[in-house]
Amino acid sequence: MAAGSGSIVLAEKLQGLNGLFAIHKKKGPTSADVLNLLKTKLLKVVGIGKGTKMLSGMLSCSKKYTTVGELGKATDTLDALGMVTEEQSYDHITKDDLESALKKFAGNIMQTPPLYSALKQNGQRLSCLMKKGKAVEAKPARPVVVFSLSVQDYNPPLFTLNVECGGGFYVRSLVNDLGKELSSCAHVKELIRTKQGPFTLDEHALQEENWTIDEIVKAVESCTQLVSSEAACKKLKTNSQEITEQVEEAD
């Protein structure tokens, strides 16, 4: 086999794949930056072929995050990348206060999205409009679901939370609202998504050093199989529930 022909075969195999795979996004670059880098390397996107249509479904799945919040400072972006807009005391806040306040943000709640977000106004992202100094209307509060919230660590002014939530939820808004609930203010200092649907950071996310055609082919095949297995389990669970309800109705 001629030199380089192996890569050609793998590239052709990649082009024939339909599916998706998970990647590890480093702290700093935006999701768009990461995708552009991936396209530069492979001229492909994370969702391949029909897999791009599956991405919206994945985004609506449950997610898990670990976030580090900082009390006493609020920013315009609600994270560490923004400019400080407010400073307040946090000396009065105890770990018990934090855990007690968290209870108000669990379950089905209403949440206002950040102004700096991917949500759109007249076809343009709010974050892009904000950076251009354009007038932006705040989006109304909308229903979101929080499956679990817990304090992993508390070392004022920093606190670490574990969050499991549904689609459309913003951890930045949570931390900002939490700061207000504690009669102070707060912003997200660090944020990492540890799970998206069936994909976990440790088991499935492809590191940047492995963004090669060979590794992506393996990742797409593995992740697509995982998604198919989960879908089959959900269908089986739904069918079982329907059978149980039919039996109960017959009784």
Side-chain angles (χ1 to χ4, degrees):
M1 186 176 287
S5 59
S7 296
I8 294 175
V9 171
L10 285 171
E12 291 176 345
K13 186 175 183 180
L14 183 63
Q15 290 176 338
L17 288 176
N18 287 299
L20 44 81
F21 63 99
I23 62 174
H24 178 263
K25 187 178 87 67
K26 294 182 178 179
K27 178 182 177 182
T30 65
S31 297
D33 293 334
V34 174
L35 287 176
N36 287 334
L37 176 59
L38 189 59
K39 287 186 217 178
T40 299
K41 289 190 174 187
L42 299 171
L43 300 181
K44 287 289 177 182
V45 293
V46 178
I48 297 174
K50 295 178 181 178
T52 54
K53 297 180 180 180
M54 301 167 66
L55 291 176
S56 59
M58 284 293 100
L59 293 176
S60 64
C61 291
S62 65
K63 302 172 284 187
K64 288 184 178 181
Y65 294 93
T66 296
T67 184
V68 176
E70 181 176 351
L71 292 166
K73 293 181 180 179
T75 70
D76 55 358
T77 59
L78 310 189
D79 62 17
L81 297 177
M83 296 179 60
V84 175
T85 58
E86 181 183 6
E87 293 190 45
Q88 289 196 40
S89 171
Y90 56 86
D91 296 339
H92 61 284
I93 302 172
T94 66
K95 185 178 181 181
D96 286 341
D97 293 332
L98 179 61
E99 291 178 334
S100 178
L102 274 183
K103 296 176 182 178
K104 298 183 179 181
F105 297 95
N108 294 297
I109 64 171
M110 298 296 290
Q111 185 188 68
T112 301
L115 288 177
Y116 280 88
S117 71
L119 298 179
K120 294 182 178 181
Q121 177 177 299
N122 298 325
Q124 296 188 61
R125 291 190 174 191
L126 296 184
S127 57
C128 293
L129 293 173
M130 290 289 290
K131 290 175 182 178
K132 294 177 182 178
K134 303 292 185 180
V136 171
E137 295 181 7
K139 295 293 183 180
R142 58 186 186 176
V144 293
V145 59
V146 181
F147 301 110
S148 65
L149 271 176
S150 62
V151 179
Q152 184 184 111
D153 186 51
Y154 185 57
N155 185 24
L158 304 181
F159 60 93
T160 304
L161 304 177
N162 291 320
V163 184
E164 182 175 7
C165 57
F169 183 84
Y170 282 91
V171 176
R172 285 180 293 142
S173 290
L174 166 68
V175 172
N176 178 70
D177 294 341
L178 185 59
K180 294 178 181 177
E181 183 66 28
L182 293 166
S183 299
S184 183
C185 55
H187 69 277
V188 168
K189 190 174 181 66
E190 296 180 16
L191 177 65
I192 185 167
R193 188 180 304 183
T194 58
K195 187 175 184 293
Q196 175 75 56
F199 304 127
T200 63
L201 181 63
D202 293 335
E203 296 180 45
H204 308 109
L206 201 60
Q207 301 287 339
E208 185 176 335
E209 58 268 22
N210 294 324
W211 291 0
T212 63
I213 293 176
D214 191 16
E215 290 297 326
I216 288 179
V217 167
K218 293 178 183 177
V220 171
E221 292 175 338
S222 175
C223 289
T224 301
Q225 183 177 7
L226 179 64
V227 171
S228 299
S229 298
E230 185 180 68
C233 288
K234 286 183 177 179
K235 184 176 181 181
L236 179 61
K237 184 177 180 180
T238 300
N239 289 342
S240 298
Q241 180 65 28
E242 289 176 350
I243 292 173
T244 299
E245 291 174 351
Q246 289 171 4
V247 171
E248 289 176 347
E249 290 176 358
D251 291 339

